[in-house]
Amino acid sequence: MTLQSDRTDVPEVPGAAEAADRIRGVLQAADPEATWAVGGPDGPYAGSAGDGAPLDVDGLMPVLALWPVIGSLVAEEALRLHTPLTAYGVEAAAGTTAHHLLSHSTGPAAHTALTRLAEHLTGSPLAELAATRIWHPLGMTGTGFADGALHAPPADLGRFLSHLLSAAEHPLTRAWITESLRIRTGELTPARGLLWHPAPHGTWAYGESQTLWLSPRLHRWALLLPTHPPGPLRTAFREAAFTPIP
């Protein structure tokens, strides 16, 4: 992972150094071996050292593979979020839509239904769809499935998150990202966007143990891959990464 301190083309980001210092302090006490990074649209500007080898990130599979593939299908008008899955020839409970699965449902059953939908519409397996539509265009050459789990190096995760905050319209459109990062559940709780859910300080998060955060307002992203179940570390890390500097 190339960090800001190693680059000359990344502008100074307000609050970046302070956030990085706070993160280091939190992790030094709780999980010094954790993999982490924080960055913006131009890439990461701080993170843990490492050899850059792919890590098991299967807990992030829905947001790294399924969500962007669904977004690409919406962009090309092959899929409408509010059309029942049965209209596409996919077996599902009456009235179930992709929007409902992304905003109201969590867990393997919802992910399986969405995977079936994407594969049915394209005739290709999800792994191939994610690689050709998302990962390869973003230069995520180290990301892929192995032994039944998704693996990715930290640098690839940074490329993905940086794209979500950039002005680029390919491979994911601004419309898809913007629509995903807004409340889609009305007055129902818990509040959710499309797969992502709102968190403090204007952030949007995905994941419980391995976790990704986005803050469009701060133009900042962060990732945490702990070495053990994070417990309160997850909250402490988020606070360190996104709490405004007084």
Side-chain angles (χ1 to χ4, degrees):
M1 181 178 295
T2 302
L3 306 180
Q4 186 180 38
S5 58
D6 302 321
R7 298 170 58 182
T8 60
D9 61 330
V10 179
E12 184 64 28
V13 179
E18 294 87 348
D21 287 343
R22 290 187 301 195
I23 291 171
R24 291 188 185 99
V26 166
L27 292 177
Q28 186 59 40
D31 190 353
E33 300 302 316
T35 298
W36 67 277
V38 60
D42 296 308
Y45 44 73
S48 56
D51 58 8
L55 305 173
D56 184 337
V57 293
D58 205 53
L60 300 175
M61 184 283 294
V63 77
L64 294 174
L66 187 55
W67 171 73
V69 165
I70 293 294
S72 72
L73 293 171
V74 170
E76 65 188 35
E77 299 184 350
L79 170 64
R80 295 184 181 276
L81 291 180
H82 294 282
T83 297
L85 269 60
T86 52
Y88 295 107
V90 175
E91 183 177 348
T96 300
T97 66
H99 182 276
H100 182 270
L101 293 174
L102 287 167
S103 62
H104 291 75
S105 302
T106 59
H111 301 156
T112 297
L114 288 168
T115 297
R116 285 202 309 266
L117 173 64
E119 294 181 341
H120 178 76
L121 290 174
T122 63
S124 299
L126 180 65
E128 180 181 325
L129 293 171
T132 58
R133 288 171 173 254
I134 311 299
W135 302 335
H136 291 173
L138 289 176
M140 298 168 62
T141 57
T143 301
F145 289 90
D147 300 322
L150 182 63
H151 291 74
D156 279 9
L157 301 180
R159 291 183 181 96
F160 181 80
L161 291 167
S162 296
H163 170 66
L164 301 187
L165 292 179
S166 75
E169 288 286 348
H170 179 77
L172 289 176
T173 65
R174 294 301 91 203
W176 174 248
I177 296 166
T178 300
E179 287 300 298
S180 296
L181 303 183
R182 71 176 181 86
I183 302 298
R184 306 298 294 249
T185 48
E187 298 299 320
L188 298 177
T189 56
R192 293 191 182 277
L194 296 179
L195 198 70
W196 298 83
H197 62 269
H201 310 302
T203 63
W204 290 81
Y206 182 83
E208 293 298 328
S209 54
Q210 301 175 332
T211 311
L212 309 179
W213 291 268
L214 290 172
S215 174
R217 179 172 58 84
L218 294 176
H219 304 289
R220 185 177 301 168
W221 56 259
L223 68 90
L224 173 65
L225 308 179
T227 61
H228 52 75
L233 172 61
R234 182 173 179 270
T235 298
F237 179 93
R238 183 197 65 219
E239 293 294 303
F242 296 103
T243 300
I245 304 298

